[in-house]
Amino acid sequence: MTMQNSRLFLSPPDMSGREQTYIAEAFESNYIAPLGPMVERFEQSIMNLTHTPNALALSSATAALHLALRVLGIGAEDIVLASSFTFIGSIAPILYQNATPYFIDSDTKSWNLDPTLLEEAIRKAPKKPKALIVTHLYGQCADLKRICEICTAHDIYLIEDAAESLGATFERQQSGTFGIFGVYSFNGNKILTTSGGGMLVSPHKELIDKARFYSTQARDDAPYYEHTEFGYNYRLSNILAAIGVAQMEVLSERIAKKQMIFEWYREELKNINEISFMPSLPNAQGNRWLTTLTFDHTDPEKIRLALEEENIESRPLWKPMHLQPLFQEAFRIENGTSQSLFEKGLCLPSGTKMSRADVARVCNLLKKSLA
Ligand SMILES: Cc1ncc(COP(=O)(O)O)c(C=O)c1O
């Protein structure tokens, strides 16, 4: 390992410089609590970005998905369709509600949920599925046009897991705003971070009001603590929301930088025939949260280890849910796409502080390790 080279992380936090100012404001107002003016400002900034009338700041995107399912009344009798090529935080809320997940594989055009398989899953499911959780992986959109048409035709609630795709658009509309609920994540490695946090959005005020109620222990309207239902402690702290307010001010810069990093990688690696980058649908504009690619012949683990040797973090693509030991028995419709992506793929460091020279350093090492 070359000592002078500092570690290149996959996607480390990148503060705007205004965070401390807003945190200080939060301290001055003494709202050191899970609610307060910064929470409202953070929610407002998401509503402004997404043109959605209702937003609820929460402790994580996982919590946001859980509330979405709870508010929609999804329970033990229900089947929830879901992208298989995703992170467990997208799926665990289905289990929290004791519902049954039904995993759908990806297409090669988007690497995201395959709409044709979605139709097949609806036909083959033992009963009518109640909802679909579709993930926009690595900040790139799934085929929302077809997915929306199918969900509408079959009367299935569409929930978008836009945890990784804040600011990405499909036909100029923000990801996360196509369904009954959308979810964004602000955990430590996302395009923006509050160290940990999430946001739930919906066009329906009464649904967000209900989610807010469940997120604060389902307290009834009484001077004492009265409960007719149980809830959760899922709200975001006013201090973390202050970080979110500052981060939202630089979202467009961060997206532009992520896209530039992707272009740099493309340029550096354009002569390597065995490499394919994650595609983008023609009518979508992803945020390129992570630059991801596949190798035709080389084992990506060999590349990962070679980069690690030089203090560079890279990561395999998500292991599909239908291949997880936890879901051995689960319903699935598979076509081999996400398995092949998992076996051949790698996420490259994509931090927004990276320079062109950093990208060149990664690419030179990568080229040296090819088969
Ligand atoms: C696709 C996807 N869904 C859900 C989550 C869960 O988000 P959180 O960590 O905010 O709960 C994440 C990331 O962590 C994610 O990448």
Side-chain angles (χ1 to χ4, degrees):
M1 191 189 295
T2 347
M3 286 320 287
Q4 68 270 27
N5 283 335
S6 56
R7 183 156 176 80
L8 271 182
F9 289 99
L10 202 63
S11 184
D14 187 357
M15 294 294 107
S16 72
R18 304 271 300 156
E19 287 80 4
Q20 306 264 21
T21 311
Y22 294 142
I23 291 171
E25 269 181 45
F27 270 74
E28 275 154 32
S29 69
N30 207 30
Y31 274 105
I32 318 293
L35 281 178
M38 287 298 171
V39 171
E40 282 160 35
R41 270 171 75 177
F42 188 32
E43 289 171 348
Q44 190 58 53
S45 68
I46 287 287
M47 290 189 259
N48 295 346
L49 170 80
T50 59
H51 305 291
T52 308
N54 309 286
L56 177 64
L58 295 161
S59 52
S60 70
T62 309
L65 284 165
H66 185 198
L67 289 173
L69 296 178
R70 173 85 192 270
V71 167
L72 293 173
I74 284 158
E77 305 297 307
D78 296 317
I79 291 175
V80 179
L81 304 163
S83 302
S84 186
F85 197 32
T86 191
F87 170 67
I88 187 70
S90 191
I91 304 303
I94 302 172
L95 307 185
Y96 301 168
Q97 286 301 103
N98 294 312
T100 304
Y102 194 135
F103 297 115
I104 300 168
D105 212 327
S106 298
D107 62 29
T108 50
K109 283 191 293 227
S110 69
W111 292 16
N112 282 307
L113 183 135
D114 181 335
T116 305
L117 293 190
L118 171 62
E119 285 179 312
E120 194 180 330
I122 295 168
R123 272 198 310 276
K124 290 190 172 158
K127 63 187 284 200
K128 182 180 146 342
K130 216 166 183 178
L132 164 69
I133 301 176
V134 62
T135 299
H136 306 303
L137 219 56
Y138 304 118
Q140 301 299 106
C141 293
D143 184 351
L144 280 162
K145 187 163 190 291
R146 282 195 64 201
I147 292 167
C148 285
E149 283 165 5
I150 296 166
C151 286
T152 306
H154 293 273
D155 194 22
I156 290 172
Y157 294 129
L158 173 62
I159 301 168
E160 283 178 82
D161 180 347
E164 302 176 358
S165 68
L166 183 70
T169 57
F170 184 89
E171 292 180 347
R172 295 175 183 271
Q173 186 179 333
Q174 291 285 323
S175 69
T177 66
F178 285 77
I180 194 159
F181 280 115
V183 160
Y184 306 105
S185 171
F186 299 92
N187 92 3
N189 67 10
K190 293 295 180 287
I191 192 158
L192 300 186
T193 183
T194 56
S195 85
M199 192 76 70
L200 182 66
V201 296
S202 173
H204 305 287
K205 181 173 182 312
E206 68 284 5
L207 298 186
I208 290 289
D209 286 346
K210 194 77 199 198
R212 184 173 284 112
F213 168 74
Y214 286 134
S215 74
T216 45
Q217 304 287 19
R219 185 181 170 187
D220 292 342
D221 190 13
Y224 41 85
Y225 281 82
E226 173 101 341
H227 302 279
T228 46
E229 290 187 83
F230 71 89
Y232 318 90
N233 181 4
Y234 275 172
R235 290 240 59 188
L236 185 69
S237 113
N238 196 50
I239 306 299
L240 298 187
I243 303 177
V245 171
Q247 287 273 284
M248 283 297 286
E249 292 176 354
V250 293
L251 176 63
S252 52
E253 286 166 45
R254 294 291 179 269
I255 294 175
K257 184 66 190 278
K258 292 276 191 188
Q259 287 166 341
M260 182 177 280
I261 290 167
F262 170 69
E263 291 305 332
W264 287 341
Y265 275 121
R266 263 224 304 219
E267 181 61 27
E268 291 281 340
L269 299 172
K270 65 176 183 237
N271 294 327
I272 318 284
N273 289 334
E274 70 155 310
I275 284 179
S276 311
F277 288 93
M278 182 176 188
S280 179
L281 293 174
N283 42 357
Q285 178 72 260
N287 69 14
R288 292 283 173 195
W289 167 54
L290 295 181
T291 290
T292 56
L293 42 67
T294 55
F295 302 92
D296 283 346
H297 318 297
T298 308
D299 180 1
E301 184 58 8
K302 186 177 154 204
I303 309 280
R304 193 186 72 76
L305 292 173
L307 294 176
E308 191 56 48
E309 191 64 22
E310 292 296 325
N311 213 10
I312 295 171
E313 185 185 23
S314 61
R315 191 166 69 184
L317 300 187
W318 297 123
K319 182 170 182 180
M321 289 300 130
H322 70 273
L323 300 179
Q324 299 288 349
L326 175 63
F327 295 121
Q328 257 166 9
E329 310 291 325
F331 292 124
R332 80 270 316 275
I333 296 269
E334 55 184 307
N335 57 13
T337 302
S338 61
Q339 176 164 2
S340 157
L341 291 169
F342 169 62
E343 286 165 1
K344 295 175 162 188
L346 198 65
C347 304
L348 296 178
S350 309
T352 42
K353 285 204 174 85
M354 281 176 83
S355 64
R356 175 92 208 218
D358 290 328
V359 170
R361 180 181 151 216
V362 176
C363 292
N364 289 338
L365 284 164
L366 187 155
K367 283 181 212 164
K368 264 205 266 169
S369 339
L370 289 176

